[in-house]
Amino acid sequence: MASVIFVHGIAVKQPEYDKTFQIIQTEINAKRPDIKVIRCFWGELGARLNAGGDSIPKYDETLALDVDSEDPEIVLWE
């Protein structure tokens, strides 16, 4: 039997994961009942930044942003 493993993004919480998993499982099973859909919820394990942020452009430059005057989320993603 073939399988599909559903792995989510880093910021997904359990309730959202469950809802999305159910949609994916329903849609796949409607078209291919022979495929097993497997959960892979790793949110409780967290994540860490390896190699000191080398894969993120300007990582070191943006560490000391003054976020007091602006919305931190906007500054972070700019």
Side-chain angles (χ1 to χ4, degrees):
M1 172 182 276
S3 299
V4 170
I5 301 172
F6 173 52
V7 181
H8 62 85
I10 192 170
V12 174
K13 304 295 186 234
Q14 185 75 48
E16 289 80 15
Y17 177 86
D18 291 341
K19 289 177 198 173
T20 306
F21 179 84
Q22 185 61 48
I23 292 167
I24 291 169
Q25 185 176 41
T26 299
E27 291 297 318
I28 289 175
N29 288 339
K31 294 171 180 59
R32 293 287 307 272
D34 59 313
I35 293 179
K36 181 178 180 178
V37 185
I38 300 170
R39 295 174 175 268
C40 181
F41 182 74
W42 59 278
E44 67 267 3
L45 300 176
R48 66 172 178 246
L49 185 60
N50 291 319
D54 287 346
S55 64
I56 302 173
K58 299 183 181 181
Y59 177 74
D60 290 332
E61 297 170 34
T62 58
L63 288 177
L65 288 175
D66 178 17
V67 295
D68 292 337
S69 61
E70 295 187 52
D71 182 329
E73 287 294 312
I74 293 172
V75 173
L76 176 66
W77 291 104
E78 283 182 343

